[in-house]
Coordinates of all heavy atoms in Angstrom, one line a residue:
M1 N 0.9 -1.2 0.0 CA 0.0 0.0 0.0 C 0.9 1.2 0.0 O 1.5 1.6 1.0 CB -0.9 0.0 1.3 CG -1.9 -1.1 1.3 SD -3.2 -0.8 0.1 CE -4.3 0.4 1.0
R2 N 1.0 1.8 -1.1 CA 1.8 3.1 -1.2 C 0.9 4.2 -1.7 O 0.0 4.0 -2.5 CB 2.9 2.9 -2.3 CG 4.1 2.1 -1.9 CD 5.0 2.0 -3.0 NE 6.2 1.2 -2.6 CZ 7.3 1.8 -2.1 NH1 7.3 3.1 -2.0 NH2 8.4 1.1 -1.8
R3 N 1.2 5.4 -1.2 CA 0.5 6.5 -1.8 C 1.6 7.6 -2.0 O 2.5 7.7 -1.2 CB -0.7 7.0 -1.0 CG -0.3 7.5 0.4 CD -1.6 7.8 1.2 NE -1.2 8.3 2.5 CZ -1.0 9.6 2.8 NH1 -1.1 10.5 1.8 NH2 -0.7 10.0 4.0
P4 N 1.4 8.4 -3.0 CA 2.4 9.5 -3.3 C 2.4 10.5 -2.1 O 1.4 10.8 -1.6 CB 1.9 10.1 -4.6 CG 0.8 9.2 -5.1 CD 0.3 8.4 -4.0
D5 N 3.6 10.9 -1.8 CA 3.7 12.0 -0.8 C 4.1 13.2 -1.5 O 5.2 13.3 -2.1 CB 4.8 11.6 0.2 CG 4.9 12.6 1.3 OD1 4.4 13.7 1.1 OD2 5.5 12.3 2.4
P6 N 3.2 14.2 -1.6 CA 3.5 15.4 -2.4 C 4.7 16.2 -1.9 O 5.3 17.1 -2.5 CB 2.2 16.2 -2.3 CG 1.5 15.6 -1.2 CD 1.9 14.2 -1.0
S7 N 5.1 16.0 -0.6 CA 6.2 16.7 0.0 C 7.6 16.1 -0.4 O 8.6 16.7 -0.2 CB 6.1 16.8 1.5 OG 6.3 15.5 2.0
V8 N 7.5 14.9 -1.0 CA 8.7 14.3 -1.4 C 8.8 14.3 -3.0 O 8.1 13.5 -3.6 CB 8.8 12.8 -0.9 CG1 10.1 12.1 -1.4 CG2 8.7 12.8 0.6
T9 N 9.6 15.1 -3.5 CA 9.7 15.3 -5.0 C 11.1 15.0 -5.5 O 11.5 15.6 -6.4 CB 9.2 16.6 -5.4 OG1 9.9 17.6 -4.7 CG2 7.7 16.8 -5.1
T10 N 11.8 14.1 -4.8 CA 13.1 13.8 -5.3 C 13.1 13.1 -6.6 O 14.0 13.1 -7.4 CB 13.9 13.0 -4.2 OG1 13.1 11.8 -3.9 CG2 14.2 13.8 -3.0
G11 N 12.0 12.4 -6.9 CA 11.8 11.7 -8.2 C 12.8 10.7 -8.5 O 13.2 10.5 -9.6
E12 N 13.2 9.9 -7.5 CA 14.1 8.8 -7.8 C 13.4 7.8 -8.7 O 12.3 7.5 -8.6 CB 14.4 8.1 -6.5 CG 15.3 8.9 -5.6 CD 15.7 8.2 -4.3 OE1 15.9 7.0 -4.4 OE2 15.7 8.9 -3.3
A13 N 14.2 7.4 -9.7 CA 13.7 6.5 -10.7 C 13.6 5.1 -10.1 O 14.6 4.4 -10.0 CB 14.6 6.5 -11.9
D14 N 12.4 4.7 -9.8 CA 12.3 3.4 -9.2 C 10.9 2.9 -9.6 O 10.0 3.7 -9.8 CB 12.3 3.6 -7.6 CG 12.2 2.2 -6.9 OD1 11.1 1.8 -6.8 OD2 13.2 1.7 -6.5
E15 N 10.8 1.7 -9.8 CA 9.5 1.1 -10.3 C 8.3 1.4 -9.4 O 7.2 1.5 -9.9 CB 9.7 -0.4 -10.5 CG 10.5 -0.7 -11.7 CD 10.9 -2.2 -11.8 OE1 10.0 -3.0 -11.5 OE2 12.0 -2.5 -12.1
S16 N 8.6 1.5 -8.1 CA 7.5 1.8 -7.2 C 7.4 3.2 -6.8 O 6.6 3.6 -6.0 CB 7.7 0.9 -6.0 OG 8.9 1.2 -5.3
N17 N 8.2 4.0 -7.5 CA 8.2 5.5 -7.2 C 8.3 6.2 -8.5 O 9.3 6.6 -9.0 CB 9.5 5.8 -6.4 CG 9.5 7.3 -5.9 OD1 8.5 8.0 -6.0 ND2 10.7 7.7 -5.5
P18 N 7.1 6.4 -9.2 CA 7.0 7.0 -10.5 C 7.7 8.3 -10.6 O 7.7 9.2 -9.7 CB 5.5 7.2 -10.7 CG 4.9 6.2 -9.8 CD 5.8 6.2 -8.6
V19 N 8.4 8.5 -11.7 CA 9.1 9.8 -12.0 C 8.1 10.8 -12.6 O 7.2 10.4 -13.3 CB 10.2 9.5 -13.0 CG1 10.9 10.9 -13.4 CG2 11.2 8.6 -12.5
E20 N 8.2 12.0 -12.1 CA 7.3 13.1 -12.6 C 7.8 13.6 -13.9 O 8.9 13.9 -14.1 CB 7.2 14.2 -11.5 CG 6.2 15.2 -11.9 CD 6.1 16.2 -10.8 OE1 5.7 15.9 -9.6 OE2 6.5 17.4 -11.0
C21 N 6.8 13.7 -14.8 CA 7.2 14.2 -16.2 C 7.6 15.7 -16.1 O 6.9 16.5 -15.5 CB 5.9 14.1 -17.1 SG 6.1 14.8 -18.7
P22 N 8.7 16.0 -16.7 CA 9.2 17.4 -16.7 C 8.4 18.3 -17.6 O 8.4 19.5 -17.4 CB 10.6 17.3 -17.2 CG 10.6 16.1 -18.1 CD 9.6 15.1 -17.4
Y23 N 7.6 17.7 -18.5 CA 6.8 18.5 -19.4 C 5.4 18.9 -18.8 O 4.9 20.0 -19.0 CB 6.6 17.8 -20.7 CG 7.9 17.5 -21.4 CD1 8.4 16.2 -21.5 CD2 8.7 18.5 -21.9 CE1 9.6 15.9 -22.1 CE2 9.9 18.3 -22.5 CZ 10.4 17.0 -22.6 OH 11.6 16.7 -23.2
C24 N 4.7 17.9 -18.3 CA 3.4 18.1 -17.9 C 3.1 17.8 -16.4 O 2.1 18.1 -15.9 CB 2.4 17.3 -18.7 SG 2.5 15.5 -18.4
G25 N 4.2 17.3 -15.7 CA 4.0 17.0 -14.3 C 3.3 15.8 -13.9 O 3.1 15.5 -12.7
S26 N 2.9 15.0 -14.9 CA 2.2 13.7 -14.6 C 3.2 12.7 -14.1 O 4.3 12.7 -14.4 CB 1.6 13.2 -16.0 OG 1.0 11.9 -15.7
T27 N 2.6 11.9 -13.2 CA 3.4 10.7 -12.7 C 3.1 9.4 -13.5 O 3.5 8.4 -13.1 CB 3.3 10.6 -11.2 OG1 1.9 10.5 -10.9 CG2 3.9 11.7 -10.5
E28 N 2.3 9.6 -14.5 CA 1.9 8.4 -15.4 C 3.1 8.2 -16.3 O 3.0 8.3 -17.5 CB 0.6 8.7 -16.1 CG -0.6 8.8 -15.3 CD -0.9 7.6 -14.5 OE1 -0.8 6.5 -15.1 OE2 -1.1 7.6 -13.3
T29 N 4.2 7.8 -15.8 CA 5.4 7.6 -16.6 C 5.9 6.2 -16.5 O 5.6 5.5 -15.5 CB 6.5 8.6 -16.1 OG1 6.9 8.3 -14.8 CG2 6.2 10.0 -16.3
E30 N 6.6 5.8 -17.5 CA 7.1 4.5 -17.6 C 8.6 4.5 -17.9 O 9.1 5.3 -18.7 CB 6.4 3.8 -18.7 CG 6.8 2.4 -19.0 CD 6.0 1.8 -20.1 OE1 4.7 1.8 -20.0 OE2 6.5 1.3 -21.1
R31 N 9.3 3.7 -17.2 CA 10.8 3.6 -17.4 C 11.0 2.7 -18.7 O 10.6 1.5 -18.7 CB 11.5 3.0 -16.2 CG 12.9 3.1 -16.3 CD 13.5 2.7 -14.9 NE 14.9 3.1 -14.8 CZ 15.6 3.0 -13.7 NH1 15.0 2.6 -12.6 NH2 16.9 3.3 -13.7
E32 N 11.6 3.2 -19.7 CA 11.7 2.5 -20.9 C 12.8 1.4 -20.9 O 12.6 0.4 -21.5 CB 11.9 3.5 -22.1 CG 10.7 4.4 -22.3 CD 10.7 4.9 -23.7 OE1 11.8 5.4 -24.2 OE2 9.7 4.8 -24.4
H33 N 13.9 1.7 -20.4 CA 15.0 0.8 -20.4 C 15.5 0.5 -18.9 O 16.0 1.4 -18.3 CB 16.2 1.3 -21.2 CG 15.7 1.6 -22.6 ND1 15.4 0.6 -23.5 CD2 15.6 2.7 -23.3 CE1 15.1 1.2 -24.7 NE2 15.2 2.5 -24.6
P34 N 15.2 -0.7 -18.5 CA 15.6 -1.0 -17.0 C 17.0 -0.6 -16.7 O 17.2 -0.1 -15.6 CB 15.3 -2.5 -16.9 CG 14.3 -2.8 -18.0 CD 14.6 -1.8 -19.1
K35 N 17.9 -0.8 -17.6 CA 19.3 -0.5 -17.2 C 19.7 0.9 -17.7 O 20.7 1.4 -17.3 CB 20.2 -1.6 -17.9 CG 20.0 -2.9 -17.2 CD 20.3 -2.9 -15.7 CE 20.1 -4.3 -15.1 NZ 20.3 -4.3 -13.7
G36 N 19.0 1.4 -18.7 CA 19.3 2.7 -19.2 C 20.6 2.8 -20.0 O 21.4 1.8 -20.0
P37 N 20.9 3.9 -20.7 CA 22.1 4.0 -21.5 C 23.3 4.1 -20.7 O 24.4 3.9 -21.2 CB 21.8 5.2 -22.4 CG 20.8 6.0 -21.6 CD 20.0 5.0 -20.8
S38 N 23.2 4.5 -19.4 CA 24.3 4.7 -18.6 C 23.9 4.5 -17.1 O 22.7 4.5 -16.9 CB 25.0 6.0 -18.8 OG 24.3 7.0 -18.2
L39 N 24.8 4.5 -16.2 CA 24.4 4.3 -14.8 C 23.7 5.5 -14.2 O 23.0 5.3 -13.2 CB 25.7 3.9 -14.0 CG 26.3 2.5 -14.3 CD1 27.6 2.4 -13.5 CD2 25.3 1.4 -13.9
C40 N 24.0 6.6 -14.8 CA 23.4 7.8 -14.1 C 22.3 8.4 -14.9 O 21.8 9.5 -14.6 CB 24.5 8.9 -13.9 SG 25.2 9.5 -15.5
R41 N 21.8 7.8 -16.0 CA 20.7 8.3 -16.7 C 19.7 7.2 -17.0 O 20.1 6.0 -17.1 CB 21.1 8.9 -18.1 CG 22.0 10.1 -17.9 CD 22.2 10.8 -19.2 NE 22.9 9.9 -20.1 CZ 23.2 10.2 -21.4 NH1 22.7 11.3 -21.9 NH2 23.9 9.4 -22.1
S42 N 18.5 7.5 -17.2 CA 17.5 6.5 -17.5 C 16.4 7.1 -18.4 O 16.2 8.3 -18.3 CB 16.8 5.9 -16.3 OG 16.2 6.9 -15.5
M43 N 15.9 6.4 -19.3 CA 14.9 6.9 -20.2 C 13.5 6.5 -19.7 O 13.3 5.5 -19.2 CB 15.1 6.2 -21.6 CG 16.3 6.6 -22.3 SD 16.4 8.4 -22.6 CE 15.0 8.7 -23.6
H44 N 12.6 7.5 -19.8 CA 11.3 7.3 -19.4 C 10.3 7.8 -20.4 O 10.7 8.6 -21.3 CB 11.0 8.2 -18.1 CG 11.9 7.7 -17.0 ND1 11.4 6.8 -16.0 CD2 13.1 8.0 -16.6 CE1 12.4 6.6 -15.1 NE2 13.5 7.4 -15.5
F45 N 9.1 7.4 -20.3 CA 8.1 7.8 -21.3 C 6.8 8.3 -20.5 O 6.4 7.6 -19.6 CB 7.7 6.6 -22.2 CG 6.6 7.0 -23.2 CD1 6.9 7.7 -24.4 CD2 5.3 6.6 -22.9 CE1 6.0 8.0 -25.3 CE2 4.3 7.0 -23.8 CZ 4.6 7.7 -25.0
C46 N 6.3 9.4 -20.9 CA 5.2 10.0 -20.2 C 3.9 9.6 -20.9 O 3.8 9.9 -22.1 CB 5.3 11.5 -20.1 SG 3.8 12.2 -19.4
H47 N 3.0 9.0 -20.2 CA 1.7 8.6 -20.8 C 0.7 9.8 -20.8 O -0.3 9.9 -21.5 CB 1.0 7.5 -20.1 CG 1.8 6.2 -20.2 ND1 1.8 5.5 -21.4 CD2 2.7 5.5 -19.4 CE1 2.6 4.4 -21.3 NE2 3.1 4.4 -20.1
G48 N 1.1 10.8 -20.0 CA 0.2 12.0 -19.9 C 0.3 12.9 -21.2 O -0.7 13.3 -21.7
C49 N 1.5 13.1 -21.7 CA 1.7 14.0 -22.8 C 2.4 13.3 -24.0 O 2.5 13.9 -25.0 CB 2.5 15.2 -22.4 SG 4.2 14.9 -21.9
G50 N 2.7 12.0 -23.8 CA 3.3 11.2 -24.9 C 4.7 11.6 -25.2 O 5.2 11.3 -26.3
Q51 N 5.4 12.2 -24.3 CA 6.8 12.6 -24.5 C 7.8 11.7 -23.8 O 7.6 11.4 -22.7 CB 7.0 14.0 -23.9 CG 6.3 15.1 -24.6 CD 7.0 15.6 -25.8 OE1 8.0 15.1 -26.3 NE2 6.5 16.7 -26.4
P52 N 8.8 11.3 -24.6 CA 9.9 10.5 -23.9 C 10.8 11.6 -23.2 O 10.9 12.7 -23.7 CB 10.6 9.8 -25.1 CG 10.3 10.7 -26.2 CD 9.0 11.4 -26.0
F53 N 11.4 11.2 -22.1 CA 12.4 12.1 -21.5 C 13.4 11.3 -20.8 O 13.3 10.1 -20.5 CB 11.6 13.1 -20.6 CG 10.9 12.4 -19.4 CD1 11.6 12.3 -18.2 CD2 9.6 12.0 -19.5 CE1 10.9 11.7 -17.1 CE2 8.9 11.4 -18.5 CZ 9.6 11.2 -17.3
E54 N 14.5 12.0 -20.6 CA 15.7 11.3 -20.0 C 15.8 11.9 -18.6 O 15.7 13.1 -18.4 CB 16.9 11.6 -20.8 CG 18.1 10.9 -20.4 CD 19.2 11.1 -21.5 OE1 19.9 12.2 -21.3 OE2 19.4 10.3 -22.4
R55 N 16.2 11.1 -17.7 CA 16.3 11.6 -16.3 C 17.7 11.3 -15.7 O 18.2 10.2 -15.9 CB 15.3 11.0 -15.4 CG 15.3 11.6 -14.0 CD 14.2 11.1 -13.2 NE 14.3 11.9 -11.9 CZ 13.7 13.1 -11.7 NH1 13.0 13.6 -12.6 NH2 13.9 13.7 -10.6
M56 N 18.3 12.3 -15.1 CA 19.6 12.0 -14.4 C 19.3 11.5 -13.0 O 18.3 11.8 -12.4 CB 20.3 13.4 -14.2 CG 20.5 14.2 -15.5 SD 21.5 13.3 -16.7 CE 23.1 13.6 -15.9
E57 N 20.1 10.5 -12.6 CA 19.9 9.9 -11.3 C 21.0 10.2 -10.4 O 22.1 10.6 -10.8 CB 19.7 8.4 -11.5 CG 18.5 8.1 -12.3 CD 18.2 6.6 -12.2 OE1 18.3 6.0 -11.1 OE2 17.8 6.0 -13.2
Ligands
ZN101 ZN1 4.1 14.5 -19.6

């Protein structure tokens, strides 16, 4: 049982902790590549606005 805590916006890329879209602010995002192109970046896709985005970790 998890619920989002609006006071915590660190946005760590974790399957159980959705990343907030930088374009529309939606948390309806999906991590596209589990391992990502590098250790410090990961690719995500926003279902809210349909934009892919890259996130630094
Ligand atoms: Zn979006």
Side-chain angles (χ1 to χ4, degrees):
M1 292 289 277
R2 283 177 177 271
R3 66 184 179 86
D5 183 342
S7 70
V8 179
T9 55
T10 53
E12 288 180 39
D14 183 280
E15 288 170 39
S16 60
N17 185 15
V19 177
E20 186 174 295
C21 174
Y23 300 110
C24 69
S26 173
T27 53
E28 294 297 315
T29 60
E30 177 179 307
R31 192 172 192 169
E32 294 202 311
H33 302 292
K35 294 299 181 183
S38 73
L39 290 176
C40 63
R41 292 189 299 173
S42 60
M43 292 301 299
H44 298 265
F45 179 81
C46 176
H47 293 285
C49 63
Q51 294 274 9
F53 62 94
E54 189 172 84
R55 184 173 186 90
M56 305 297 285
E57 295 191 44

